[in-house]
Amino acid sequence: MENLIALLIAAPLLGAAVLLVGGRRLDAVGHWIGTFLSAASFVFGLILFADLLGKDAEHRTLTQHLWTWISVGGFQADVTFRLDQLSMTFVLLITGVGSLIHLYSVGYMEHDERRRRFFGYLNLFLAAMLLLVLADNYLLLYVGWEGVGLASYLLIGFWQHKPSAATAAKKAFLVNRVGDMGLSIAIMLMFTTFGSFAFGPVLSHTGDTSEGKLTAIGLMLLLAACGKSAQVPLQSWLGDAMEGPTPVSALIHAATMVTAGVYLIVRSGAIFNAAPDAQLAVTVVGAVTLLFGAIVGCAKDDIKKALAGSTMSQIGYMVLAAGLGPIGYVFAIMHLVTHGFFKAGLFLGAGSVMHGMNDEVDMRKYGGLRKYMPVTFITFGLGYLAIIGFPGLSGFFSKDKIIEAAFAKGGTEGWILGGAALLGAAITAFYMTRVMLMTFFGEERWRDRPTRSPEEPSAEPAAAHQGGAASGHAAAATGEPHPHESPKIMTIPMVVLAVGSVFGGAFFSLGDRFLHWLEPVTGHSEGDSPLSAATVTGATMVCLVVGVAIAWAQYGRKPVPALAPRGSLLTRAARRDLYQDDFNHVVLVRGGEHLTRSLVYVDHTLVDGVVNGTAAGFGGLSGRLRRLQNGFVRSYAVSMFGGAALLVAATLLMRAV
Amino acid sequence: MSFPLLTATAALPALGAVATAAVPAARRTAAKWLALVVSLATLALAVVVLVRFDPDGARYQLTESHAWISDFGVRWELGVDGIAVALVALTALLVPFIVLAGWHDADPLETGSRRWRPTQGFFALILAVEAMVIVSFEATDVFVFYIFFEAMLIPMYFLIGGFGDRAHEHGEKAAATQRSYAAVKFLLYNLVGGLLMLAAVIGLYVVAGNFSLTEIAEARANGSLHMATDTERWLFLGFFFAFAVKAPLWPLHTWLPNAMQESTAPVAVLITAVVDKVGTFAMLRYCLQLFPEASKWATPVILVLALISIIYGALLAVGQRDIKRLVAYASISHFGFIVMGIFAMTSQGQSGATLYMVNHGISTAALMLVAGFLISRRGSRLIADYGGVQKVAPVLAGTFLIGGLATLSLPGLAPFVSEFLVLVGTFTRHPAIGVIATFGIVLAALYTLVLYQRTMTGPVKPEVSAMPDLRVRELLVVAPLIVLLIFLGVYPKPVTDIVNPAVKQTMSDVHKKDPKPEVEAAK
């Protein structure tokens, strides 16, 4: 059975190779090849899942060794896969949501002339992401880790004729590289400490080394996680990443890749458990990010950027939970899975809205769309209820558990972290209600108004429209939009994800199913909470109601202005992502430019000059030879002969002695 | 007497060079084909060497020894260890691609040009360089090594000074002036290094009484040849300086950007991917084997210089406006990694450095040759003259991106393995240096992706709108290199298996053992 693990990765990898090398011939069928291979990987995943369920809880680990990758001295890296409950969960999420999004993209990208390449990149992403979660050692994980980064780079920049898309792609890769430094150093530390960086040897020997070493490793892993999962301080790339086509935002920048940091921390639980300082850092990063993302999400008028802020915030919850240790690991992953459903659904819904609105992304130009896009409205609405934690829906179960666990950390830390998580729940309810109201309710603000001004090029120009004839598209793009429901191939994946958003949490929580499933890998402990579970749930509900009510007061009761009001200081800051880019620009970009420019000058004048000058100093060799440029070879020969003559002299001297 | 295989690997391109030069002026195409066939035959011979070499056998294999200049005890002594085999194979592998990529680089501008058969000369010189580089890798006689180490400067000088890019922003006359400046600078730097080395070679002869690397190294190892500490250090410095110019190491690097900028892309590849490797190879073979104590004495300074090269080269690459200069500074950064790996004195560092030499050769060839194809289409080396190429020439852009990703050491491609080995090998002994060097991976992403963004993405510039995509000949150059980058990225074992035993020997020459991990968890 374990031989099937490699096929999980091989199927989408084959797809990527065929689609990217195959050329124009495959344009007509490329998207179906990609979708089929993604679905095939999902089927392999289901077969393996059934196999694992057939074993006892303690023996649900399969390993497959393929070949020795690197072996130098004691440094040994193998291409070995490990499928246990944790990686199985990810495999099903990645291939399941991935296949749905492939299907959706068949419709969404229908009129893009580079659709084949798009599916090639999506397949490449799946293969890399599966490698990331199936690797049995940190170095192989690194390959998947950078592989998803590459796929993300290619897909954010998919419409690379747009300078903004190309810049966003580069930014994402660069910020992630800073995180990769952390992963590199963590692996090097593991090697010097344990002589290995495979999961088994490292995670089972954490007791044999000092807490200091483990804290260092943990902090470096956290740095890596911050990059990939867009956590403060490496969060700045995620908002810009929305330049990519919307299915990409749904799959990579919401449901799967950005959660890789959470996977890394939970997988390395044994290290963090023995390094409380590193754990504290993880919880702080999580708590700060969950508020940061939520605040940014409140101020954005671009529907995708509002959702991106939300993603950052929800991953903050997961990171917070992962930092709590065994109390939180299971719930971090549970929230990760439910979030995968509802956030992917929300993004696909946003894509569907844009599809019907000439690619308009500004929510101030939406309004009243529920009548025109009923399926999108209902599925998006269910996703909305799930994310704000409406009782009975997915988010209710998973988020509530995280808030409980945060309080259960105990002490002042517990109160602060739990308070932050509660506050985050209120803000989540606010910004999601805002998105919902601005998009589907209220006046139809798109009437009598062209959606695009000519000087502001469309965010998604290539995602042309189903229904609208390609020839009429150019005219429609500047005229009044005619909102319409998306075709079935797009709405079906949305419906499936909505079902997951509604029932996932309850299904996982019933009889603590998810807990029992993951516990053998992650361990679990009950904390000692100062508040009862019922109190926490009650408080969460109050927060939810308050958040919804404030949003209703602002965006439901009175009409939404077509132009954003100036807003409070906080709103303006949030609109600019709390000045993260301004900071980066001034400190890193400008500073870096000055540094490289002055170095270029130094290299040209100082280094070159000094070395040349020194050479000239040695008997004026340089200057004299330069004057002899044309006859240079002669002088070269003279030197050679001079050298040879010296050699003869030395030999004779030796003989004489 | 068995067939002198090693001599043949050098003699074949040498004779090929003579034959190519002798092709009549009118038969330019014949000269090209001859050069290509000779380089492929040399590759075939190198493959035979690779197959005949037994990684677990004697240290030097396929040895040959003949009296040459008997008065000075100079012998034609050849032999290869695993490190040399890998580099001979790299050289023989890259030259056919260099020839194929440079197919039209030396076509006369107008018929009846008065210049002396430039086409024949171009390809003959490339083959001559190949022959000399191969002897440098194979020689086990210090004097033979020295002769060829220096002699290769002559054909390189003519290749840099005589053949440049067709178009130049300041016209043909300015181009000729700059070319000749670059060629002279190249020669001067290397010559000064070479003269210091000559003094050290003579000094070594005075001390040891012969030129045989194997004999001297053995005598050093068993204690029968004692060197005073000062003598050893001076001799070491003489050798090291020459190699550090050629590698090149900061602050002796400034000849490289000029040389790579002014020569045609295939010649730039010949410089950085092949010729410069002799410098790092020789550090590993001559400095460490002949002067182990002095090598250890100099290690702290050399590691710092290597670290400066890594960061400084990368920062300067970020600041370049010229595509070829950018690649040159990137190479300086990469040579810093190689030198750091060698002097980390760990098996990961040294095997990683050797693998790095091979991988850097392939990845730079891929990036630089595609850059050359790009430059030949637009007639400019300036990054700012490009934009939106991806739209009109997607295959060219795609291969350029893969070359770039290899340069930034993307995991899954060959350079990642070597770069990580060098980093980890350094980190185990010098954690601080290893951590600072890791910043190089961020900077590498910066210069590569900025280059790609500015040239390939964005709106299509009018000047590039009619740019044709890669032609069949160009694809034949790039595709095999990309396949190799992927293959060695997922399965570097064929190279490391050959290199590891040789590195083990070198480690024992310098009396160094890998640091032990704190916890033996792997067992």
Side-chain angles (χ1 to χ4, degrees):
Chain A
M1 188 54 76
E2 50 271 12
N3 294 334
L4 220 54
I5 301 174
L7 287 182
L8 283 171
I9 300 173
L13 193 61
L14 174 75
V18 167
L19 293 177
L20 294 177
V21 179
R24 299 255 152 85
R25 265 152 296 179
L26 294 176
D27 275 355
V29 291
H31 46 287
W32 290 118
I33 296 177
T35 309
F36 172 76
L37 286 168
S38 167
S41 189
F42 180 59
V43 171
F44 295 139
L46 286 177
I47 296 170
L48 283 161
F49 182 53
D51 184 63
L52 286 195
L53 283 180
K55 299 178 197 276
D56 338 320
E58 300 303 320
H59 297 101
R60 286 174 180 162
T61 300
L62 298 175
T63 53
Q64 181 185 15
H65 174 81
L66 287 183
W67 68 84
T68 296
W69 178 26
I70 307 171
S71 174
V72 174
F75 187 96
Q76 169 109 13
D78 292 298
V79 178
T80 302
F81 301 130
R82 171 198 190 89
L83 185 76
D84 58 12
Q85 291 92 327
L86 182 59
S87 35
M88 190 74 242
T89 309
F90 272 88
V91 166
L92 292 177
L93 177 73
I94 295 161
T95 55
V97 175
S99 299
L100 289 173
I101 288 174
H102 272 73
L103 203 60
Y104 177 94
S105 306
V106 171
Y108 193 85
M109 300 296 282
E110 187 171 356
H111 296 286
D112 194 307
E113 53 174 2
R114 291 158 74 235
R115 178 164 63 164
R116 168 182 56 83
R117 192 185 285 217
F118 180 81
F119 277 83
Y121 293 161
L122 276 189
N123 271 216
L124 177 67
F125 168 75
L126 283 190
M129 188 72 205
L130 289 167
L131 178 61
L132 195 165
V133 298
L134 287 168
D136 187 44
N137 64 64
Y138 285 95
L139 200 67
L140 190 61
L141 179 150
Y142 195 173
V143 177
W145 187 266
E146 284 264 295
V148 293
L150 172 65
S152 162
Y153 168 81
L154 293 168
L155 286 164
I156 295 171
F158 187 70
W159 291 314
Q160 41 176 276
H161 50 88
K162 277 170 44 194
S164 56
T167 305
K170 180 190 67 186
K171 182 176 177 185
F173 199 99
L174 283 176
V175 175
N176 270 290
R177 270 257 147 162
V178 176
D180 294 344
M181 277 182 62
L183 190 52
S184 297
I185 296 170
I187 295 173
M188 294 193 273
L189 273 167
M190 286 175 198
F191 180 67
T192 53
T193 310
F194 302 105
S196 171
F197 38 82
F199 292 155
V202 170
L203 299 175
S204 59
H205 284 80
T206 49
D208 301 338
T209 184
S210 64
E211 194 187 310
K213 280 263 174 67
L214 293 172
T215 305
I217 296 175
L219 289 176
M220 288 297 113
L221 291 173
L222 173 62
L223 179 63
C226 283
K228 197 61 79 197
S229 294
Q231 300 292 293
V232 175
L234 297 180
Q235 81 292 9
S236 68
W237 63 273
L238 187 63
D240 294 347
M242 298 300 123
E243 286 285 343
T246 308
V248 171
S249 311
L251 177 61
I252 301 184
H253 305 116
T256 56
M257 183 189 86
V258 286
T259 59
V262 181
Y263 171 78
L264 185 69
I265 295 171
V266 172
R267 177 57 85 192
S268 314
I271 295 171
F272 285 96
N273 292 345
D277 291 344
Q279 274 188 320
L280 181 65
V282 174
T283 53
V284 169
V285 164
V288 168
T289 310
L290 83 84
L291 292 175
F292 189 115
I295 292 169
V296 169
C298 293
K300 293 286 182 186
D301 289 333
D302 177 327
I303 187 169
K304 285 179 76 180
K305 294 208 167 167
L307 290 178
S310 160
T311 302
M312 205 187 278
S313 169
Q314 296 299 313
I315 298 171
Y317 274 103
M318 299 170 209
V319 169
L320 167 63
L324 296 171
I327 330 172
Y329 292 139
V330 171
F331 305 123
I333 301 297
M334 189 160 117
H335 193 54
L336 192 156
V337 174
T338 57
H339 175 259
F341 291 141
F342 56 68
K343 188 52 71 58
L346 288 170
F347 265 111
L348 294 190
S352 175
V353 168
M354 289 157 60
H355 200 79
M357 291 292 289
N358 295 349
D359 298 324
E360 180 56 66
V361 291
D362 185 353
M363 292 188 289
R364 292 189 185 276
K365 295 177 185 163
Y366 291 170
L369 293 177
R370 65 183 185 283
K371 279 178 280 184
Y372 304 92
M373 307 179 183
V375 181
T376 304
F377 168 63
I378 292 170
T379 53
F380 195 93
L382 291 172
Y384 156 73
L385 292 175
I387 193 174
I388 64 170
F390 192 81
L393 274 70
S394 284
F396 169 76
F397 293 98
S398 50
K399 200 191 289 175
D400 204 46
K401 287 287 188 190
I402 292 178
I403 299 172
E404 265 179 51
F407 279 112
K409 183 162 171 74
T412 324
E413 287 161 40
W415 284 104
I416 294 173
L417 297 173
L422 266 182
L423 182 59
I427 307 177
T428 307
F430 172 81
Y431 69 71
M432 282 312 300
T433 309
R434 175 177 176 269
V435 169
M436 200 64 198
L437 291 173
M438 285 175 88
T439 306
F440 292 104
F441 294 89
E443 287 172 47
E444 298 175 356
R445 295 182 297 278
W446 38 271
R447 289 256 177 233
D448 303 322
R449 212 170 323 156
T451 45
R452 286 275 162 207
S453 55
E455 60 273 7
E456 190 189 346
S458 165
E460 309 226 347
H465 299 252
Q466 161 71 23
S471 55
H473 178 219
T478 50
E480 184 185 296
H482 303 285
H484 53 266
E485 188 54 274
S486 297
K488 284 235 161 48
I489 199 155
M490 287 168 65
T491 51
I492 289 171
M494 286 153 59
V495 170
V496 176
L497 288 169
V499 171
S501 314
V502 172
F503 300 108
F507 178 79
F508 290 150
S509 299
L510 217 63
D512 287 333
R513 271 192 200 138
F514 202 77
L515 177 62
H516 294 312
W517 161 251
L518 268 189
E519 201 180 357
V521 186
T522 59
H524 184 66
S525 68
E526 297 289 341
D528 186 18
S529 179
L531 299 173
S532 71
T535 317
V536 172
T537 308
T540 314
M541 285 305 111
V542 172
C543 289
L544 191 160
V545 171
V546 169
V548 171
I550 297 176
W552 167 252
Q554 274 192 18
Y555 298 94
R557 249 174 11 144
K558 42 188 185 190
V560 178
L563 272 179
R566 189 151 178 274
S568 67
L569 205 63
L570 181 64
T571 314
R572 272 177 280 147
R575 227 175 257 149
R576 300 208 59 158
D577 304 305
L578 303 180
Y579 301 117
Q580 50 181 341
D581 281 330
D582 305 74
F583 174 82
N584 289 350
H585 188 77
V586 171
V587 177
L588 299 174
V589 178
R590 287 257 201 80
E593 276 171 3
H594 284 300
L595 178 67
T596 53
R597 254 186 240 142
S598 40
L599 274 182
V600 168
Y601 178 77
V602 165
D603 195 61
H604 195 67
T605 52
L606 210 67
V607 179
D608 204 21
V610 167
V611 175
N612 289 348
T614 316
F618 278 113
L621 186 69
S622 153
R624 203 175 303 160
L625 287 180
R626 192 172 296 176
R627 258 180 281 122
L628 291 173
Q629 254 183 40
N630 294 330
F632 190 77
V633 178
R634 242 179 306 144
S635 55
Y636 179 79
V638 170
S639 325
M640 284 281 283
F641 280 120
L646 266 173
L647 193 73
V648 175
T651 320
L652 291 178
L653 196 71
M654 280 296 289
R655 291 241 169 115
V657 175
Chain B
M1 201 184 84
S2 62
F3 179 71
L5 190 57
L6 293 186
T7 302
T9 54
L12 186 61
L15 294 174
V18 174
T20 307
V23 172
R27 312 284 306 271
R28 283 189 290 114
T29 312
K32 295 175 184 178
W33 278 103
L34 179 62
L36 183 62
V37 168
V38 168
S39 65
L40 286 171
T42 309
L43 175 58
L45 275 182
V47 170
V48 175
V49 171
L50 203 61
V51 172
R52 295 266 306 271
F53 184 81
D54 171 15
D56 302 316
R59 179 167 191 174
Y60 293 104
Q61 297 180 27
L62 306 169
T63 50
E64 297 168 28
S65 181
H66 306 280
W68 191 22
I69 314 174
S70 43
D71 276 348
F72 316 123
V74 175
R75 297 180 66 80
W76 181 257
E77 261 190 18
L78 303 181
V80 282
D81 63 357
I83 300 167
V85 164
L87 291 169
V88 168
L90 172 74
T91 306
L93 173 80
L94 288 182
V95 171
F97 294 114
I98 289 170
V99 168
L100 201 55
W103 205 248
H104 295 300
D105 283 1
D107 288 353
L109 286 173
E110 68 269 17
T111 42
S113 166
R114 282 190 300 143
R115 283 168 77 189
W116 174 80
R117 289 190 287 190
T119 312
Q120 282 82 341
F122 182 74
F123 292 100
L125 289 169
I126 290 175
L127 290 177
V129 172
E130 180 181 22
M132 291 171 180
V133 169
I134 287 178
V135 176
S136 308
F137 288 138
E138 292 175 345
T140 52
D141 182 286
V142 180
F143 193 79
V144 172
F145 169 79
Y146 170 74
I147 293 279
F148 285 88
F149 181 83
E150 286 294 273
M152 73 178 84
L153 298 181
I154 298 170
M156 281 314 303
Y157 169 78
F158 286 113
L159 278 172
I160 297 168
F163 304 89
D165 285 325
R166 272 297 142 70
H168 194 280
E169 59 270 29
H170 303 301
E172 183 54 36
K173 196 154 189 264
T177 314
Q178 290 197 15
R179 267 206 301 277
S180 98
Y181 172 72
V184 169
K185 193 169 175 184
F186 161 81
L187 201 49
L188 269 180
Y189 269 68
N190 284 282
L191 187 64
V192 171
L195 286 176
L196 286 178
M197 183 180 162
L198 177 61
V201 168
I202 296 166
L204 181 70
Y205 184 69
V206 171
V207 175
N210 68 64
F211 285 117
S212 167
L213 172 75
T214 44
E215 276 180 41
I216 301 173
E218 196 178 319
R220 296 283 285 142
N222 64 26
S224 63
L225 173 60
H226 178 73
M227 277 187 208
T229 310
D230 280 351
T231 316
E232 185 183 342
R233 288 179 183 175
W234 280 112
L235 294 180
F236 168 84
L237 286 177
F239 277 82
F240 184 79
F241 189 82
F243 304 150
V245 169
K246 187 148 283 191
L249 194 64
W250 187 90
L252 305 170
H253 63 275
T254 54
W255 64 268
L256 184 69
N258 286 88
M260 283 179 72
Q261 176 186 29
E262 298 304 332
S263 45
T264 66
V267 173
V269 171
L270 193 65
I271 298 170
T272 186
V274 177
V275 170
D276 286 354
K277 295 297 180 321
V278 182
T280 43
F281 162 81
M283 287 179 196
L284 201 48
R285 172 172 278 184
Y286 293 94
C287 290
L288 262 49
Q289 261 194 61
L290 295 175
F291 317 110
E293 292 311 315
S295 298
K296 285 190 270 188
W297 160 75
T299 292
V301 175
I302 293 173
L303 283 178
V304 169
L305 291 179
L307 189 59
I308 293 175
S309 292
I310 292 171
I311 304 295
Y312 184 92
L315 281 173
L316 273 149
V318 175
Q320 295 306 314
R321 298 184 304 136
D322 177 308
I323 299 174
K324 284 161 133 185
R325 276 184 85 83
L326 189 153
V327 179
Y329 278 105
S331 283
I332 290 166
S333 181
H334 289 143
F335 281 114
F337 274 107
I338 297 173
V339 174
M340 190 174 86
I342 292 171
F343 284 88
M345 307 277 183
T346 56
S347 56
Q348 290 87 28
Q350 295 183 345
S351 285
T354 310
L355 189 59
Y356 209 124
M357 293 184 220
V358 174
N359 292 339
H360 173 259
I362 302 170
S363 67
T364 305
L367 182 66
M368 192 68 178
L369 293 177
V370 180
F373 300 149
L374 180 73
I375 290 166
S376 69
R377 282 163 165 71
R378 167 76 175 78
S380 168
R381 302 187 308 238
L382 292 180
I383 295 168
D385 284 346
Y386 296 86
V389 173
Q390 192 277 332
K391 191 93 179 164
V392 287
V395 179
L396 190 155
T399 51
F400 192 66
L401 181 62
I402 296 175
L405 293 172
T407 301
L408 64 79
S409 297
L410 187 87
L413 297 177
F416 170 73
V417 177
S418 38
E419 192 160 297
F420 200 84
L421 281 171
V422 165
L423 282 172
V424 83
T426 308
F427 184 85
T428 52
R429 226 186 264 291
H430 310 280
I433 290 179
V435 167
I436 299 172
T438 311
F439 279 93
I441 71 171
V442 179
L443 294 173
L446 185 60
Y447 61 69
T448 311
L449 296 183
V450 168
L451 173 65
Y452 182 80
Q453 186 189 355
R454 296 206 177 136
T455 52
M456 299 298 170
T457 71
V460 182
K461 284 229 165 130
E463 295 87 350
V464 305
S465 57
M467 192 176 271
D469 212 334
L470 286 190
R471 302 183 177 90
V472 174
R473 171 181 62 86
E474 295 167 330
L475 259 183
L476 276 177
V477 171
V478 181
L481 293 175
I482 289 175
V483 170
L484 263 173
L485 284 173
I486 295 172
F487 177 76
L488 290 179
V490 296
Y491 197 61
K493 215 163 166 290
V495 184
T496 50
D497 277 356
I498 290 177
V499 170
N500 282 341
V503 164
K504 213 170 162 188
Q505 287 279 355
T506 312
M507 289 280 288
S508 81
D509 288 336
V510 289
H511 310 293
K512 282 278 193 182
K513 283 204 171 65
D514 286 338
K516 283 246 176 307
E518 187 188 324
V519 184
E520 287 284 353
K523 306 242 157 73

